[in-house]
């Protein structure tokens, strides 16, 4: 059995009464890019994944607008997983009575033998909504190499990577220098005892530029690379707009970095693959997935209700795209997933 | 000779440079001023007027070479007959656009002649790169398959053959592609024989420049 099949994978997530996702099924692949207008449920998917990991949600805030609230009303998320050739559903429910539920263990239907692997995958999943201002913050050193959802501890994670996995840290430096040729190395500063801050060294003149002086795009590029080079990667990573703030010419590198996570064997890496979910608003980023329509999901919103469709499941999609860029076709509206007129 | 190259990706452009140098029999210089980059069909066609104008008016480039993938629109020699071109064909579309822009260029004092050539990889540049590895990979085989409704290999298949994966990162793609191109550059006759329409057209146009090389 191939390595990919030995790792649990989420095949789809069904949402019921969860914000704009009143009744929606999100199909997922080893790599999935979700495109769609604002409010089409892309962020709700990430919120759902956090809920799965144990972050509480408020029933009244999360209930789809217009759905009557009574004792029988449920917000439900069903995660359809496949592992070792078998399928398991993980169900998360929220009732009006437990409207601040945080601690109930998701129910996993299926053979107990496999539950552990699936449960472990769901526990280690990571959802990143990177906040540029936080990436540049000096942080207190800790033993953890887990990057926080907003990227706040980036400096600490890089410091650990340098100490514990120097060869990967070197690879990361090389890759960074290729992405952003004006810099040649990640350096560290100790603004106070037990704290670390990042600096980048300029190729010309070897000047140390503190993180607080770096552009948003540079910090985001560094963070995406860091996610791709952390050795003990989670089994599932979801990233909100990894293209945000980046020069369009860097987007191919971003795609490559995410593919490196999702398909490590094709990049000569022996570590287990990571299931990757990313969202975007960028037609340029979308262009890069023309060869793999099965990896693209269009989020559509009509009358405050969002649904998902895999691009490869769309009728006549090959004919529609024949002589167009994927991003242009999406922007034009013919694929759906664009804002509706007010 | 200073030659600008426009292709569907930076890896494609590196490959085309190697072939153009081999056809000319001497290394060309790139136009440093513009770090041209396209992002696939039809963006390359849409960018072409701006690129051509800028090269002509603002650079000392001698020539522009454009190479695109045919996808499912290969060129047919019948398109070369006098009369309107078939612009669904990617090669004809590129040539039409080049002609239209050149017709509007005004003379500029001190500007030498400006040449342009176009090539078409059927169905994709990786087919050129796989030339000689598999005798089935020829322009005619693919076109015959297309008309018969059963293409012998897809673009993705070609990528898997050339790069070992259909999702190569840019470094791998560029490295492998230029390695193959350098080897093939030593046997242009084979490429020209197996890709007479799209590669042959490029060869004939570029060879025509040899006479007026400085
Ligand atoms: Zn033609």
């Amino acid at each position: 059995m191939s390595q990919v099949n030995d790792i649990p994978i989420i095949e789809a997530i069904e949402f019921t009464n969860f914000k704009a996702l009143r009744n929606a099924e999100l199909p997922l692949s080893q790599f999935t890019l979700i495109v769609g207008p604002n409010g089409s449920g892309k962020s709700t998917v990430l919120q759902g994944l956090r809920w799965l990991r144990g972050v509480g949600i408020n029933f009244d805030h999360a209930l789809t607008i217009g759905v009557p609230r009574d004792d029988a009303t449920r917000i439900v998320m069903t995660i359809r997983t496949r592992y070792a050739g078998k399928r398991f559903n993980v169900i998360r429910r929220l009732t009006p009575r437990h409207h601040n539920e945080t601690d109930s263990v998701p129910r996993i239907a299926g053979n107990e033998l496999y539950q552990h692997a699936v449960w472990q995958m769901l526990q280690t999943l990571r959802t990143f909504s990177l906040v540029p201002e936080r990436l540049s913050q000096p942080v207190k050193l800790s033993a953890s190499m887990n990057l926080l959802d907003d990227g706040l501890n980036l400096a600490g994670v890089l410091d650990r990577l340098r100490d514990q996995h120097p060869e990967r840290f070197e690879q990361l430096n090389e890759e960074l220098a290729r992405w952003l040729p004006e810099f040649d190395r990640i350096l560290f500063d100790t603004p106070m005892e037990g704290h670390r801050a990042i600096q980048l060294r300029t190729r010309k003149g070897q000047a140390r530029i503190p993180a607080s002086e770096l552009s948003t795009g540079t910090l985001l590029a560094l963070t995406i690379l860091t996610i791709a080079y952390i050795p003990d990667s989670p089994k599932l990573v979801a990233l909100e707009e990894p293209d945000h703030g980046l020069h369009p010419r860097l987007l191919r590198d971003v795609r490559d970095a995410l593919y490196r996570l999702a398909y490590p064997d094709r990049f000569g890496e022996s570590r287990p693959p990571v299931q990757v979910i990313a969202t975007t608003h960028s037609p340029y980023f979308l262009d890069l997935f023309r060869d793999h329509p099965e990896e693209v999901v269009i989020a559509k919103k009509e009358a405050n209700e969002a649904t998902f469709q895999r691009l490869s499941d769309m009728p006549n999609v090959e004919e529609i795209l024949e002589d167009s860029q994927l991003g242009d076709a999406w922007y034009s509206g013919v694929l759906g997933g664009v804002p509706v007129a007010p | 000779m200073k030659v600008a190259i426009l292709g569907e990706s930076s890896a494609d452009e590196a490959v085309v440079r190697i072939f153009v140098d081999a056809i000319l029999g001497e290394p060309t210089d790139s136009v440093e001023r513009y770090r041209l980059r396209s992002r696939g069909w039809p963006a390359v066609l849409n960018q072409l007027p701006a690129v051509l104008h800028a090269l002509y008016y603002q650079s000392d480039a001698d020539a522009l070479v454009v190479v695109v993938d045919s996808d499912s629109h290969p060129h047919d020699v019948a398109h070369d007959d006098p009369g309107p071109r078939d612009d669904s064909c990617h090669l004809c579309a590129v040539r039409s656009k080049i002609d239209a822009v050149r017709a509007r260029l005004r003379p500029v004092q001190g500007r030498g002649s400006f040449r342009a050539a176009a090539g078409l990889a059927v169905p994709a540049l990786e087919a050129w790169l796989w030339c000689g590895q598999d005798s089935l990979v020829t322009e005619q085989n693919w076109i015959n398959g297309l008309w018969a409704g059963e293409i012998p290999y897809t673009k993705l298949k070609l990528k898997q053959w050339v790069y070992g994966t259909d999702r190569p990162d840019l470094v791998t793609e560029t490295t492998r592609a230029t390695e193959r191109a350098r080897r093939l550059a030593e046997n242009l006759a084979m490429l020209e024989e197996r890709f007479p329409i799209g590669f042959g057209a490029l060869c004939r146009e570029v060879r025509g420049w040899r006479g007026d090389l400085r």
Side-chain angles (χ1 to χ4, degrees):
Chain A
M1 191 177 286
S2 83
Q3 207 173 32
V4 174
N5 292 338
D6 286 333
I7 304 289
I9 184 169
I10 301 182
E11 293 188 315
I13 307 177
E14 290 168 24
F15 297 88
T16 307
N17 297 335
F18 192 17
K19 296 195 166 181
L21 306 175
R22 198 186 67 78
N23 179 18
E25 179 180 318
L26 171 68
L28 294 171
S29 312
Q30 188 63 32
F31 179 92
T32 307
L33 182 69
I34 310 173
V35 292
N38 296 318
S40 63
K42 303 194 300 297
S43 302
T44 307
V45 170
L46 265 72
Q47 200 190 357
L49 291 170
R50 288 190 189 114
W51 178 28
L52 199 60
R53 211 180 65 199
V55 177
I57 56 167
N58 180 296
F59 184 90
D60 294 305
H61 294 167
L63 184 65
T64 306
I65 295 166
V67 169
R69 182 193 193 282
D70 55 47
D71 281 355
T73 312
R74 301 282 180 271
I75 296 173
V76 187
M77 198 167 62
T78 304
I79 294 91
R80 300 216 312 259
T81 69
R82 190 187 71 231
Y83 175 54
K86 293 189 168 60
R87 292 194 157 81
F88 305 93
N89 287 343
V90 179
I91 300 163
R92 198 92 160 106
R93 277 200 186 91
L94 199 55
T95 67
R97 276 188 301 143
H98 297 96
H99 90 108
N100 227 343
E101 183 178 22
T102 55
D103 53 357
S104 84
V105 174
R107 299 192 328 187
I108 303 178
N111 189 326
E112 210 171 289
L113 225 58
Y114 298 100
Q115 288 181 9
H116 178 70
V118 173
W119 178 231
Q120 198 188 25
M121 174 206 192
L122 300 178
Q123 282 306 291
T124 63
L125 72 86
R126 306 306 315 276
T127 50
F128 295 109
S129 302
L130 301 171
V131 180
E133 315 72 86
R134 304 213 176 138
L135 303 177
S136 59
Q137 298 287 313
V139 292
K140 213 169 159 209
L141 287 177
S142 84
S144 168
M145 221 184 288
N146 278 336
L147 189 63
L148 297 171
D149 286 3
D150 58 3
L152 178 68
N153 61 338
L154 177 66
V157 169
L158 281 168
D159 182 78
R160 300 307 300 158
L161 186 68
R162 176 191 58 177
D163 289 351
Q164 293 185 357
H165 301 273
E167 65 302 325
R168 291 193 79 84
F169 184 71
E170 286 314 313
Q171 288 170 359
L172 169 56
N173 269 295
E174 281 170 32
E175 188 77 356
L176 181 75
R178 207 177 56 71
W179 284 31
L180 306 166
E182 64 269 40
F183 301 108
D184 70 356
R185 193 152 189 87
I186 304 161
L187 300 173
F188 297 90
D189 186 26
T190 307
M192 58 177 132
E193 185 65 30
H195 285 64
R196 283 287 181 278
I198 311 164
Q199 302 176 323
L200 291 185
R201 189 173 69 187
T202 60
R203 185 178 303 274
K204 262 189 202 156
Q206 306 277 289
R208 289 167 161 255
I209 312 291
S212 55
E213 299 295 317
L214 295 169
S215 73
T216 299
T218 299
L219 286 166
L220 287 167
L222 175 61
T223 313
I224 287 163
L225 266 177
T226 304
I227 292 168
Y229 278 87
I230 297 172
D232 305 317
S233 38
K235 306 282 188 295
L236 186 144
V237 165
L239 278 141
E240 200 158 13
E241 298 185 33
D243 53 86
H244 187 78
L246 296 184
H247 191 284
R249 283 195 184 187
L250 264 180
L251 298 182
R252 168 67 191 264
D253 296 308
V254 173
R255 188 201 74 171
D256 290 350
L258 299 182
Y259 269 173
R260 173 184 288 274
L261 278 174
Y263 308 102
D265 52 332
R266 303 183 196 179
F267 291 78
E269 292 203 26
S270 56
R271 66 191 170 123
V274 179
Q275 188 171 8
V276 178
I277 303 169
T279 69
T280 189
H281 280 140
S282 163
Y284 293 118
F285 195 51
L286 185 55
D287 276 348
L288 300 170
F289 297 88
R290 173 71 181 83
D291 285 346
H292 291 283
E294 77 281 5
E295 292 179 339
V296 176
V297 168
I298 311 272
K300 304 181 179 193
K301 194 182 182 191
E302 264 163 57
N304 291 325
E305 208 178 307
T307 54
F308 301 106
Q309 186 176 31
R310 213 193 283 265
L311 186 59
S312 53
D313 291 340
M314 214 172 268
N316 309 106
V317 73
E318 274 310 315
E319 287 93 336
I320 292 169
L321 292 179
E322 185 170 281
D323 234 6
S324 297
Q325 308 275 128
L326 178 51
D328 284 348
W330 169 60
Y331 187 90
S332 77
V334 296
L335 302 177
V338 291
V340 286
Chain B
M1 192 172 195
K2 201 165 254 193
V3 180
I5 305 222
L6 192 59
E8 293 196 17
S9 74
S10 57
D12 285 12
E13 285 159 9
V15 163
V16 173
R17 167 88 53 201
I18 291 168
F19 289 145
V20 168
D21 289 1
I23 298 166
L24 280 171
E26 64 168 61
T28 56
D29 294 321
S30 56
V31 182
E32 293 296 337
R33 177 188 177 126
Y34 301 113
R35 279 175 285 174
L36 297 179
R37 178 84 58 87
S38 173
R39 45 183 196 94
W41 187 268
V44 59
L45 192 66
N46 298 335
Q47 283 169 234
L48 194 46
V51 169
L52 244 168
H53 279 121
L55 288 171
Y56 179 79
Y57 289 119
Q58 293 182 15
S59 83
D60 56 351
D62 299 296
L64 169 68
V65 171
V66 185
V67 172
V68 292
D69 294 350
S70 75
D71 300 323
S72 46
H73 301 282
H75 182 72
D76 188 292
V77 282
H79 299 176
D80 295 331
D81 293 344
R85 286 197 174 115
D86 175 0
D87 279 350
S88 70
C89 158
H90 290 187
L91 183 63
C92 288
V94 166
R95 285 177 171 167
S96 293
K97 194 137 275 186
I98 289 174
D99 290 351
V101 174
R102 287 180 63 148
R104 291 199 304 271
L105 296 175
R106 49 191 166 74
V108 174
Q109 202 167 18
R111 186 161 221 327
S113 59
F114 185 81
R115 305 163 192 81
L120 183 77
V122 179
L125 199 82
E126 284 80 10
W128 290 0
L129 297 175
W130 204 241
C131 178
Q133 299 288 309
D134 180 343
S135 58
L136 278 179
V137 175
T138 70
E139 209 166 43
Q140 204 54 54
N141 261 344
W142 199 85
I143 293 172
N144 289 346
L146 180 69
W147 298 144
E150 199 176 343
I151 51 169
Y153 42 87
T154 60
K155 283 178 83 159
L156 281 188
K157 202 48 154 174
L158 285 165
K159 281 194 174 176
Q160 283 163 5
W161 288 339
V162 175
Y163 310 119
T165 164
D166 56 28
R167 295 178 182 81
D169 64 84
L170 192 56
V171 176
T172 309
E173 185 175 328
T174 309
T175 310
R176 296 254 172 96
T178 50
E179 275 168 13
R180 292 271 333 135
R182 274 189 211 100
R183 245 173 281 160
L184 286 160
E186 292 166 11
N187 192 358
L188 288 180
M190 177 177 71
L191 255 177
E192 219 177 329
E193 184 202 315
R194 298 188 187 180
F195 295 86
I197 304 171
F199 189 75
L202 179 70
C203 283
R204 286 186 293 279
E205 284 192 278
V206 172
R207 270 193 204 112
W209 302 345
R210 273 185 189 162
D212 37 40
L213 276 181
R214 284 173 293 194

